[in-house]
């Protein structure tokens, strides 16, 4: 009998077949050779059953039937892909061994586990764990197959996450929907993300703009000219600002402090998915989902980048030779000139900015592969170009600067200057042909306008001052400015807020649990944003994300019900900490689920006593919703925080009474789809 290999998607299955058995025969839904049969899932073939699979009464949404807590979760095939599931079942009967070749991660492990459980497959299992789909990597992975039992704890964590999401999503959505007679979707990740948008909008509404004045002077010493920013309390009185101008205009001055320091700027980190999505949004206006889809095509279809759904910005030692080879493969391409200036000596195992195994989990940073890119669409070329340039930058030396910090005094008034003199462009030559998009260590738009900020200018010509010689204030002016409200969120800045959400959690242990995850995972954040659009909580206005009145009310009702843990990143902190412990064999999945069930009961009891909101409260015009809020986590006396544990959301249930069908319906994930966050 043969070995059945189950990949996560058709492209992956075909890539595996081409690498390990190129003479195998293609039967459309599977590929068969002398030793192997290779087939595939199509994402999730199996899902958790809807509530009505447990009792007929759950077809109608009735608050009195809550909570819905199954003793044992039932599995159902996805109706759209049941034929492929039957193919796997038939092929398994002809196979004595299985290879789990689904994506190397918690969700890929879950996809295989669901198939295995539903079809009651009892064959011994090996695990393929790889990060790119080049033939060399695939063949190496098959030569180092691991025992499937090594991943049993990861399977338990994935199952616990899925079932816990179902409990909170299904019960929370039904509870708030039936109480308020408006379809409201609740989820452990989507709800705190919505709360981030809500809190920023409240900041914007409460913001009051104030005028202030920056006084900027130009100083000359012989042939050298430089500018300085007045140092003092913020000036809000135009007459005082003008008096300062008159006091110093055309007056002599002295250099009271002059420091020169050599500095280096190193390349930015290699891409993980979230960073790639953020930059593609800022540079090309791509949505998070679009960037993920394009990157997935570059990985699966074109095989020119490594696995994109990664949360790591670093590589392992064994990746270093692969990076050197990928550099060689870029010779003769449109990047040939940049490759010619690259030096392999900069990318080595002791360069912690590149190689840091302690910070690599399931997958290393996104890298170009050995395969040359051909036939890319315009969008694919954009994303590929980002990946390649970031990769190439690490084969260059740092950019070198001489930073001159000057304190100039005129009429006892102090002015500060920072002159950044470029000595060597280093890695920044990679972006020299993209001046407008050239990465900057800190953009002017992101700098806080505070009174201590020095006038900083970057120059490429020699600069020097004689500290013992006087200067002349040749020009001076007071510039009127206004304090600015927080910026509206774009998908890029929201992704950053989701990634850094754990930083707002007060509990140090929870912050640590979230430091590498935040809200959602790199693979799920795009779907969370799409989810919020789909349920009518947010809309897009150009690049800006706008929260609707329905979205605002959802946050307010959840908080007023006394289950504001649902709107806090703290819940994800508890969840991720416990799931990580389960995956490492340090915690019990049964205990975790018991705590989630307690929290589910708490949600129902809190909503039960809540007053119903007026229907009109959900119907006003959409409100603009802005940028990355830093809101202090709410204090709670609930011991339920420990119960709320996770990575994903279940959404509102799909099945409803006719009376509840409407255009803003919060649909649940169909059976067999990945859980919604």
């Amino acid at each position: 009998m043969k070995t059945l290999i189950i990949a996560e998607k058709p492209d992956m299955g075909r890539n595996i077949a081409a690498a390990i058995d190129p003479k195998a025969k293609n039967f459309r839904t599977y590929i068969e050779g002398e030793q192997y049969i290779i087939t595939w899932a199509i994402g999730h073939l199996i899902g958790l059953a809807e509530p009505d699979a447990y009792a007929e009464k759950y077809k109608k949404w009735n608050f009195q039937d809550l909570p819905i807590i199954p003793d044992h979760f039932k599995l159902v095939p996805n109706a759209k892909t049941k034929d492929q599931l039957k193919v796997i079942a038939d092929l398994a009967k002809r196979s004595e061994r299985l290879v789990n070749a689904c994506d190397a991660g918690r969700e890929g492990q879950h996809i295989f586990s669901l198939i295995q459980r539903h079809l009651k497959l009892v064959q011994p299992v090996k695990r393929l764990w790889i990060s790119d789909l080049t033939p060399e990597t695939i063949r190496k992975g098959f030569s180092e197959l691991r025992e499937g039992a090594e991943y049993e704890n990861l399977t338990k964590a994935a199952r616990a996450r899925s079932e816990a999401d179902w409990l909170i999503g299904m019960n929370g959505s039904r509870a708030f929907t039936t109480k308020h007679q408006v379809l409201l979707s609740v989820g452990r990740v989507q709800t705190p993300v919505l709360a981030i948008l809500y809190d920023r909008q409240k900041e914007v509404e409460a913001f009051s703009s104030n005028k202030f004045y920056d006084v900027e002077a130009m100083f000359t010493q012989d042939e050298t000219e430089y500018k300085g920013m007045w140092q003092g309390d913020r000036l809000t009185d135009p007459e005082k600002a003008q008096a300062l101008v008159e006091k110093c205009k055309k007056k002599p001055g002295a250099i009271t402090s002059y420091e020169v320091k050599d500095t280096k700027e190193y390349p930015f980190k290699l891409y993980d998915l979230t960073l790639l999505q953020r930059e593609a949004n800022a540079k090309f206006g791509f949505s998070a989902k679009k960037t993920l889809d394009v990157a997935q095509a570059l990985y699966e279809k074109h095989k020119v980048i490594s696995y994109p759904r990664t949360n790591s910005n670093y590589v392992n030692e064994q990746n270093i030779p692969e990076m050197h080879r990928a550099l060689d493969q870029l010779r003769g391409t449109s990047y040939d000139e940049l490759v010619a200036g690259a030096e392999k000596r900069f990318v080595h195992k002791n360069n912690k900015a590149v190689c840091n195994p302690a910070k690599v989990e399931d997958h290393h940073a996104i890298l170009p592969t050995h395969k040359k890119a051909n036939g890319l669409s315009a969008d694919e070329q954009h994303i590929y170009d980002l990946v390649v340039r970031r990769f190439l930058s690490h084969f260059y030396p740092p950019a070198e600067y001489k930073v001159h910090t000057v304190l100039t005094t005129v009429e006892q008034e102090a002015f500060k200057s920072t002159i950044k003199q470029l000595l060597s462009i280093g890695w920044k030559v990679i972006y020299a042909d993209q001046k407008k998009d050239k990465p900057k260590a800190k953009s002017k738009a992101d700098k806080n306008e505070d009174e201590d900020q020095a006038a900083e200018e970057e120059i490429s010509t020699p600069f020097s001052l004689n500290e013992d010689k006087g200067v002349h204030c040749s020009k001076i002016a007071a510039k009127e400015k206004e304090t600015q409200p927080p910026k509206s969120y774009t998908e890029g800045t929201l992704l950053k807020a989701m990634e850094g959400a754990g930083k707002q959690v007060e509990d140090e242990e929870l912050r640590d649990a979230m430091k590498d995850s935040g809200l959602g995972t790199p693979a799920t954040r795009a779907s969370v944003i799409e989810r919020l659009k789909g349920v009518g909580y947010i809309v897009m206005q150009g690049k800006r994300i706008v929260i609707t009145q329905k979205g605002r009310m959802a946050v307010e009702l959840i908080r007023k019900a006394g289950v504001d843990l649902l709107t806090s990143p703290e819940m994800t902190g508890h969840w991720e900490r416990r799931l990580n412990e389960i995956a490492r064999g340090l915690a019990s999945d049964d205990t975790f689920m018991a705590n989630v069930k307690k929290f589910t009961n708490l949600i129902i009891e809190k909503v039960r006593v809540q007053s119903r909101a007026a229907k009109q409260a959900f119907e006003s015009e959409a409100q603009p919703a802005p940028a990355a809020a830093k809101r202090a986590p709410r204090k709670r006396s609930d011991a339920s925080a420990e119960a709320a544990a996770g990575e994903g959301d279940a959404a509102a249930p799909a099945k409803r009474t006719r009376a509840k069908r409407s255009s803003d319906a919060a649909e649940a994930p169909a059976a067999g789809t990945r859980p919604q966050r």
Side-chain angles (χ1 to χ4, degrees), residues 267-268 270 315 319-328 330-331 338-348 351 354 367-368 387-398 426-430:
F268 296 108
L270 293 167
V315 303
N319 300 126
I320 300 298
E322 302 297 313
M323 291 179 71
H324 289 176
R325 187 176 169 195
L327 177 68
D328 290 335
L330 288 168
R331 298 185 192 281
L338 296 176
V339 174
E343 297 182 60
K344 291 179 181 177
R345 66 186 178 91
F346 291 113
V347 175
H348 54 83
N351 180 352
V354 175
L367 303 171
V387 172
V388 170
R389 288 180 189 263
R390 183 61 59 93
F391 167 81
L392 286 173
S393 69
H394 286 274
F395 289 91
Y396 277 76
W427 64 272
K428 292 190 175 184
V429 71
I430 298 292

Side-chain angles (χ1 to χ4, degrees), residues 380-451:
E380 289 167 344
Q381 183 59 50
H382 282 321
I383 298 301
Y384 182 67
D385 186 67
L386 287 178
V387 172
V388 170
R389 288 180 189 263
R390 183 61 59 93
F391 167 81
L392 286 173
S393 69
H394 286 274
F395 289 91
Y396 277 76
E400 297 181 13
Y401 293 89
K402 194 178 288 290
V403 179
H404 306 257
T405 305
V406 187
L407 194 64
T408 306
T409 303
V410 179
E411 296 293 312
Q412 297 184 318
E413 301 291 347
F415 295 81
K416 189 175 182 179
S417 312
T418 303
I419 297 93
K420 195 175 178 182
Q421 178 189 349
L422 179 65
L423 301 177
S424 174
I425 193 170
W427 64 272
K428 292 190 175 184
V429 71
I430 298 292
Y431 300 95
D433 62 339
Q434 301 181 339
K435 293 290 186 183
K436 291 182 181 178
D437 302 309
K438 180 179 175 181
K440 297 178 182 178
K442 195 174 187 182
S443 68
K444 289 182 180 178
D446 291 333
K447 288 180 179 177
N448 289 323
E449 296 171 309
D450 63 27
E451 58 272 19

